[in-house]
Amino acid sequence: IMSISSLTRSIFVFSQRRNYQFYKSIIISTQRISMYSTNVNNNNTSTLINPTIATITTEKPIFSSEKIELGRWLFCQPCEFCRGVVAESGLPKGDIPEVAFIGRSNCGKSSLLNSILNRRKLVLTSKTPGKTREFNYFLLSKRLHLVDLPGYGYSIVPKTIKTRWLDLLTPYLANRKQLKLLFLLIDSRHGILRRDIEFFQKHKTIICPIQVVLTKSDKISAKLLELKKLETEAKLIEIGIKCIGPILTSSSHKLQGLPEIRARIAETCEITSSS
């Protein structure tokens, strides 16, 4: 008998060749079925499998106009680079909340940070993957740290540097109490790849919620972008990743999806204009 995840993948591939809207509804249905598969315990009562995994939907996330405006206001405040961290001892003290960004090398992470900050060159960008080699901290409005983490999956980076990153990243993601939100950035042209799965296998314990963003959405058609979202959702459910909400999409080039990302940050970190 074909498993739910196998059926979802098969339908996804077939949906690229056939009627898109019809098979989209089937994919969503099979995902919901997999979320509510049941086990029978000793008392013959049903319990959810993986009850901690949040239901993921392909619908566009809905933020109130007030939350969108709060996000816009927050990211109009002063922002400055404050430090680069290469060891746990260099992490900032205090209780300022942190929002971190991570993804495969060359996924558009630095460009996205510049875009949501309304800056051009605050976060250094490069066409050469692997240039971010520290935990780069940016202080926004003196109340929030944005953390640009090194990209993973770039093979040319020396092994000693990779080891140093891993030694710092693993306890940071698992234990850093100031970390309130982790943005996982995925290039929408490729979707989840082996390197992304390996990242989650290495970091099975993450202390904060995860928000997935498909970057470079302007590089593919709207239909293919929607299919990539479906494929990504199915894979996240299959590997058991808990996400804070619907997948977001963004384009640094066309400035798309930025209000939602800002609103997510302001909401998760409980920012108010008077705080």
Side-chain angles (χ1 to χ4, degrees), residues 75-219:
F75 282 86
C76 285
Q77 304 308 304
C79 184
E80 60 183 3
F81 173 77
C82 58
R83 70 176 68 188
V85 177
V86 296
E88 191 170 358
S89 60
L91 293 172
K93 310 299 181 183
D95 57 0
I96 294 179
E98 298 175 7
V99 175
F101 294 76
I102 198 167
R104 291 194 309 270
S105 295
N106 207 30
C107 69
K109 175 166 52 68
S110 298
S111 295
L112 177 61
L113 276 166
N114 278 326
S115 296
I116 64 173
L117 287 167
N118 298 301
R119 310 296 202 277
R120 288 188 177 183
K121 297 181 179 180
L122 181 62
V123 183
L124 296 180
T125 61
S126 174
K127 293 183 179 179
T128 303
K131 285 298 183 181
T132 303
R133 300 194 174 189
E134 301 175 336
F135 284 27
N136 290 321
Y137 272 76
F138 300 87
L139 182 61
L140 176 63
S141 187
K142 297 184 178 180
R143 68 182 73 188
L144 175 65
H145 277 135
L146 302 179
V147 190
D148 183 11
L149 300 175
Y152 54 83
Y154 188 55
S155 59
I156 298 181
V157 174
K159 187 175 181 179
T160 54
I161 294 180
K162 287 185 179 181
T163 301
R164 188 185 70 189
W165 289 349
L166 193 60
D167 289 343
L168 179 57
L169 184 62
T170 299
Y172 175 81
L173 294 178
N175 305 316
R176 182 73 172 168
K177 293 182 179 179
Q178 294 91 330
L179 184 59
K180 304 302 180 184
L181 180 62
L182 176 67
F183 277 91
L184 174 64
L185 308 184
I186 297 174
D187 190 326
S188 63
R189 298 171 296 179
H190 309 301
I192 289 185
L193 299 179
R194 177 175 57 86
R195 294 293 188 183
D196 301 300
I197 296 175
E198 290 176 350
F199 167 79
F200 283 114
Q201 289 173 340
K202 291 177 181 177
H203 307 286
K204 295 182 179 180
T205 302
I206 296 178
I207 195 171
C208 67
I210 300 170
Q211 173 65 67
V212 176
V213 179
L214 294 182
T215 62
K216 304 182 181 183
S217 62
D218 59 300
K219 303 295 184 181

Side-chain angles (χ1 to χ4, degrees), residues 1-7:
I1 300 176
M2 181 180 291
S3 67
I4 291 294
S5 59
S6 297
L7 177 60

Side-chain angles (χ1 to χ4, degrees), residues 60-76 248 257-264 266-267:
K60 185 177 181 179
I62 300 175
F63 292 98
S64 67
S65 58
E66 290 81 6
K67 290 181 179 178
I68 292 292
E69 173 57 25
L70 179 59
R72 185 202 65 78
W73 172 86
L74 175 62
F75 282 86
C76 285
L248 303 179
L258 306 184
E260 290 78 13
I261 293 175
R262 294 170 183 144
R264 172 65 74 203
E267 178 185 68

Side-chain angles (χ1 to χ4, degrees), residues 14-29:
F14 190 68
S15 68
Q16 297 183 69
R17 305 173 185 174
R18 300 292 180 180
N19 186 286
Y20 164 71
Q21 290 295 337
F22 175 71
Y23 287 101
K24 172 184 172 181
S25 65
I26 295 179
I27 292 173
I28 296 173
S29 297

